[in-house]
Every structure is written in C-alpha cells, then in structure tokens.
Amino acid sequence: MVKNIVFDMGKVLTDYVPDAVCRHYIKDEAMIRKISDAVFVSPEWVLLDLGVVPEDEGLRRITERLDTPQEKEWAAQCFWHWHEYNMWHMEGMEELVRSLKAAGYGIYLCSNASVRLLTCWQKVIPAADCFDGILFSGPEKCMKPQKEIYERLFARFSLKPEECLFIDDQPLNIRGAAECGMRGYVYDGDREKLKQWLSQELGKNFS
C-alpha cells in the first residue's frame, strides 16, 4: 500500500534555467554564455551538490579559470544570487502536491542540490507547507542515484521503500530508487500523464 510520494525538485517541482541570473547582471550574449558555463557547467557545481567543497572554495576555483576582474565579479554575483533568479514553480505542481496531501499521503523531497537550498527551499518549492520531509544531497554528502541517499531518506523519515512512489526526471535516478525498493516514474514534463499514472497507482482520481 502506497503511503508516501517522494518528489525530485528540478524539472519536476521547479523549472531551472542557469542563464536567468546571468541575464540579470550581464547584457552581452557571449559573456552570458561564458559566465553561465563557468559557474553552472563546472566540476565545482557537481562537487557543491555532493557537499564535498564549501561554497567559498567552489567560487574560488571557478573564478581562477576566468580572465578579467570583471568576469570574476560577474561570476561571483551569479554564484551568490542564482537561487533568486534561476528557479520557479512548474505549472500545476502546487495543485497536484496539495491534492496528494489532502488525500492523506506523506509528501517528501529528495533532490541533488547544494547546501544553499537549506536556506531557501520554502520559497522555491511549490506547496512547501505540505512537505513532511526534505533531503538534499549537499548536506548528506551523497547524491542520486547512489543507494546511500535513498537509504538515508528512508531512515531519516522512517519510510518503507515499498510504501513510497518516487517522481524524478532522470531515468538513472528512478533505477537507483528501484534498486532500493522504491517504485518510480520518469517525469517528462507532461503533467497529465503523471496524474494518470498516479491515479492508476493510487486508485484515486488526480486528473
């Protein structure tokens, strides 16, 4: 019997566009691309999600690869303010989360994200007040699809994997969850298909 719904964050509950913060500070298209790639397509960005480097150190490494003081300043601005500009609610997901909560399901989040999200998740996740537990990879120093993060989710919130459904946009993460006993759904942005799947799995109408 399913008792809990576990959501991923990016591209499921929230949309995410790395360029958005760069466009706030920078006007030149080529420079937007350069700074966006330097910050968000960097090994440090993965290490921040994994929680193995502090933010100050991550930024230092990023700016070392840039050429001018202005580029370094732009990178720092984008790095420290990305969460204010890069994420917004996916359409219709607040209503879906609230419907699931009203139907009596526990609502949880398991996301690859840096420690920054600990300070702002209530602002960026739709229906944040409905969540019974939040787990981010950065503070845990492990990330999806590693089995450790799923096992930590279950242990932290006293969940049984067979009583959970997991919604994530990455097939690899769904496979990782399945190996730990939690069934899942690969979300491709089609909300109606997701609601149909939930209706079938839960025996209740969410369409």
Side-chain angles (χ1 to χ4, degrees):
M1 179 180 177
V2 175
K3 297 181 180 180
N4 307 291
I5 312 299
V6 182
F7 288 92
D8 175 37
M9 183 173 63
K11 298 299 182 180
V12 176
L13 294 174
T14 64
D15 206 351
Y16 174 79
V17 177
D19 285 359
V21 68
C22 299
R23 293 185 182 282
H24 180 77
Y25 293 107
I26 308 166
K27 302 307 178 187
D28 179 74
E29 286 295 325
M31 189 57 63
I32 288 170
R33 181 80 273 127
K34 181 175 182 178
I35 300 302
S36 180
D37 287 349
V39 176
F40 303 113
V41 188
S42 67
E44 288 76 24
W45 200 250
V46 177
L47 295 176
L48 287 163
D49 279 357
L50 192 52
V52 296
V53 296
E55 289 191 312
D56 287 344
E57 174 64 14
L59 178 60
R60 185 191 66 78
R61 295 185 190 183
I62 288 167
T63 55
E64 278 184 349
R65 294 193 292 270
L66 293 170
D67 301 317
T68 69
Q70 180 63 78
E71 291 176 0
K72 296 175 189 291
E73 179 181 347
W74 279 328
Q77 289 173 320
C78 294
F79 182 88
W80 291 120
H81 295 281
W82 66 266
H83 61 285
E84 299 169 16
Y85 299 96
N86 288 11
M87 293 183 291
W88 51 88
H89 294 181
M90 292 284 274
E91 183 180 354
M93 294 308 287
E94 177 163 358
E95 292 81 0
L96 177 58
V97 170
R98 293 195 182 282
S99 294
L100 290 162
K101 185 68 174 179
Y105 295 98
I107 305 295
Y108 297 88
L109 184 135
C110 182
S111 178
N112 288 345
S114 69
V115 295
R116 180 79 59 86
L117 269 297
L118 292 174
T119 68
C120 63
W121 66 267
Q122 295 95 333
K123 297 178 181 178
V124 301
I125 295 174
D129 57 298
C130 291
F131 281 77
D132 298 288
I134 303 288
L135 194 76
F136 293 119
S137 61
E140 302 302 321
K141 294 183 170 53
C142 57
M143 63 194 304
K144 299 177 296 185
Q146 293 176 306
K147 67 177 183 179
E148 288 82 2
I149 195 166
Y150 302 110
E151 292 173 347
R152 204 158 295 178
L153 174 76
F154 305 143
R156 180 77 45 83
F157 303 113
S158 301
L159 305 178
K160 296 179 180 179
E162 66 273 15
E163 294 179 346
C164 299
L165 295 179
F166 181 43
I167 302 165
D168 194 293
D169 66 313
Q170 296 295 321
L172 192 60
N173 294 340
I174 295 296
R175 289 197 293 272
E179 290 173 2
C180 295
M182 179 168 60
R183 290 185 295 124
Y185 179 88
V186 179
Y187 184 57
D188 63 0
D190 189 326
R191 194 171 63 259
E192 293 307 313
K193 279 171 52 180
L194 171 60
K195 289 194 288 187
Q196 290 172 11
W197 180 79
L198 285 168
S199 297
Q200 292 170 358
E201 294 292 323
L202 301 175
K204 298 177 183 179
N205 184 16
F206 293 98
S207 60

